[in-house]
Amino acid sequence: NHPEWSPEGNWIAFTSKHDGDRRIWRIPASSGQPELLTKNVGTMLQWSPDGKGLYYIGGGENGDNVWHIDIGTRKEEPATALSGRRGTIGGAGLATDGRSFYFTWEEPRGDIWVADIVQPSRK
């Protein structure tokens, strides 16, 4: 589900329940075997503008958040601090400059929110 081309066009990322839970995978655009990227359950993915990472809506150890995975290191970390809040994230999208994430928040009615992205650590 939810296939997304990488910015340079070499990869397609998507969500799949191939291993039982909905996780983020990628496959070379030229064909090949799919590769599991995330440990967290996730959906609604979007590539970072530089193609070095992916943002997705997911539930990790810290609850529902917008998450980032660095493709090179496979490090997953929350990009927003929404854990512990009552409600759920709906439709979402990354700003073209990669600095903000827009999404709907339903608690129980929907609102449109914008959150600054916590820049991923480079450890």
Side-chain angles (χ1 to χ4, degrees):
N1 294 323
H2 309 287
E4 290 287 332
W5 286 87
S6 63
E8 76 287 343
N10 294 334
W11 296 94
I12 302 170
F14 59 96
T15 61
S16 174
K17 290 185 177 181
H18 180 72
D19 68 348
D21 291 317
R22 186 176 308 279
R23 299 187 194 284
I24 311 297
W25 297 70
R26 74 174 180 171
I27 190 168
S30 61
S31 80
Q33 293 298 312
E35 172 186 10
L36 178 63
L37 295 177
T38 62
K39 295 178 187 171
N40 289 332
V41 174
T43 190
M44 300 175 79
L45 61 104
Q46 188 166 4
W47 287 91
S48 61
D50 64 7
K52 295 180 180 179
L54 284 162
Y55 291 94
Y56 63 93
I57 306 297
E61 297 173 3
N62 299 320
D64 290 337
N65 263 314
V66 176
W67 285 78
H68 177 267
I69 180 167
D70 181 293
I71 299 297
T73 66
R74 299 294 196 273
K75 183 176 182 178
E76 294 174 76
E77 56 189 352
T80 58
L82 300 171
S83 297
R85 294 181 182 264
R86 196 180 75 186
T88 57
I89 300 173
L94 185 66
T96 55
D97 65 4
R99 294 176 180 243
S100 301
F101 208 86
Y102 292 84
F103 56 94
T104 60
W105 185 259
E106 299 172 19
E107 183 192 323
R109 295 183 321 177
D111 294 318
I112 297 175
W113 287 36
V114 62
D116 292 336
I117 293 294
V118 177
Q119 295 304 314
S121 61
R122 298 290 177 197
K123 296 178 186 173

